[in-house]
Amino acid sequence: MKISILSRSTSLYSTKRLLEEARKAGHIAKAINVLHCNIKLEKQKPTVYYHGERLVTPDAIIPRIGASITFYGTAIVRQFEMMNCFTTVSSMSLVCSRDKLQSLQLLSRSGVDMPKTVFTNFGDHTDDICKQVGGPPVVIKVLEGTQGIGVNLAETIAAADAIIDANNELRTRVIIQEFIKEAGGADLRAFVVGDKVVGAMKRQAQKGEFRSNLHRGGTAKSITLTKLEEQTAVSAAKSLGLGVCGVDLLQSSRGPLVLEVNSSPGLEGIERATGKNIAAEIIKYIEKGVHA
């Protein structure tokens, strides 16, 4: 098969590992920088040009689209879909996963449990909003944030009011979420490929920090999920239509709660923490999908 990895850099760990495992399995694999792609639209002849030359249609693509280029990257993925390429992440699912509010609405509709969440139109009734999610304390997140950026813990109504007011002044949309104290500054990352979890790790925030993101100094170790945690992760992936994704869960007194679903999860943290060959699992998923 011909497999194209849509990535801005071949030096990234995830891109290198996917290229390595695809070639090891006997496939022709290459990385394509989506920002150097152009799409040509004409009646029933969708094409992609790369560095000015028409691209030979691959059998499958693996989108590794960063949040900052979601719009353009999605357009390229959509074009490959029109060319009948198998993709590990559809253009529609990519868009949904990048919209925190929409993804939470889809998870809610599918019956996936999550922290109580409120979205308001630059509301100024902070006390009522906090009460609706059982706080304070509450977690306040900007809708466009990634890697823990734009996520704040407000311990009091006054603190929440100040954070919400500051975002309102900037016309930045936020969601207010229930704070799960018993999680203890930790979350779980379940890596879902197809209809199963192929690896999971527990991420622990550093002292004095409640965000467990590895980019913010958190640590990670391998963990075996409970059956319910696995089912929740797979259900979350299916509700957003994602074939490959990372599902972030909180362990709460009422069971696993989905925090977020990442459509371009990094492989470095999960492979190093678990010792599992996640990249190979993604290639196997593609082989099955292309020949289905």
Side-chain angles (χ1 to χ4, degrees):
M1 287 192 302
K2 295 187 293 292
I3 301 174
S4 292
I5 300 164
L6 307 187
S7 172
R8 293 174 68 178
S9 174
T10 55
S11 66
L12 296 172
Y13 178 93
S14 298
T15 304
K16 288 192 292 185
R17 287 287 297 120
L18 290 165
L19 287 170
E20 179 184 352
E21 292 302 326
R23 290 165 180 166
K24 190 184 293 183
H27 305 301
I28 301 169
K30 65 178 180 179
I32 294 175
N33 187 334
V34 292
L35 296 182
H36 294 161
C37 290
N38 295 328
I39 60 177
K40 182 180 179 182
L41 301 169
E42 59 181 321
K43 185 178 179 181
Q44 295 182 334
K45 291 182 180 179
T47 52
V48 173
Y49 285 81
Y50 189 54
H51 291 298
E53 295 188 8
R54 184 170 179 170
L55 197 66
V56 176
T57 305
D59 297 294
I61 60 171
I62 304 174
R64 299 288 309 169
I65 308 299
S68 64
I69 59 167
T70 297
F71 180 82
Y72 196 79
T74 300
I76 302 301
V77 173
R78 191 181 303 116
Q79 189 79 351
F80 278 114
E81 288 173 334
M82 292 166 61
M83 295 159 63
N84 296 316
C85 294
F86 177 84
T87 177
T88 56
V89 178
S90 72
S91 57
M92 186 69 72
S93 296
L94 179 58
V95 170
C96 290
S97 69
R98 288 290 160 78
D99 185 330
K100 280 190 176 70
L101 181 61
Q102 184 180 8
S103 63
L104 288 171
Q105 288 176 311
L106 291 172
L107 291 169
S108 173
R109 185 176 69 183
S110 298
V112 176
D113 206 356
M114 67 192 72
K116 297 171 187 174
T117 303
V118 168
F119 175 65
T120 181
N121 185 36
F122 303 116
D124 56 3
H125 300 292
T126 305
D127 52 347
D128 291 335
I129 293 171
C130 289
K131 288 176 184 176
Q132 288 169 22
V133 297
V138 297
V139 177
I140 302 173
K141 299 178 179 179
V142 298
L143 287 178
E144 294 80 18
T146 60
Q147 299 176 351
I149 298 170
V151 180
N152 294 279
L153 176 63
E155 299 275 6
T156 64
I157 295 288
D161 202 34
I163 294 169
I164 293 172
D165 279 350
N167 282 290
N168 286 350
E169 286 291 324
L170 296 170
R171 308 306 286 175
T172 301
R173 301 282 187 179
V174 299
I175 54 175
I176 298 87
Q177 286 190 318
E178 171 187 15
F179 176 62
I180 308 300
K181 182 179 180 180
E182 61 266 31
D187 70 4
L188 310 179
R189 163 62 63 91
F191 206 106
V192 178
V193 177
D195 58 359
K196 63 180 181 179
V197 174
V198 297
M201 61 181 174
K202 184 171 186 175
R203 303 181 299 190
Q204 180 66 54
Q206 61 181 330
K207 188 175 181 180
E209 174 64 77
F210 79 100
R211 293 166 293 185
S212 59
N213 307 70
L214 300 185
H215 291 89
R216 310 204 70 82
T219 57
K221 64 178 182 179
S222 182
I223 189 172
T224 300
L225 300 183
T226 66
K227 186 175 181 180
L228 181 56
E229 287 166 348
E230 284 199 20
Q231 291 173 341
T232 300
V234 172
S235 295
K238 286 183 177 180
S239 69
L240 297 184
L242 291 166
V244 174
C245 65
V247 181
D248 295 341
L249 304 163
L250 287 180
Q251 294 176 306
S252 80
S253 57
R254 63 177 187 269
L257 307 176
V258 175
L259 269 180
E260 191 173 350
V261 182
N262 189 326
S263 56
S264 292
L267 300 183
E268 186 171 10
I270 191 78
E271 285 197 336
R272 289 185 174 172
T274 64
K276 294 184 177 179
N277 192 337
I278 306 298
E281 294 291 341
I282 295 173
I283 301 305
K284 291 176 187 175
Y285 171 71
I286 290 172
E287 293 170 340
K288 184 179 179 180
V290 169
H291 297 118

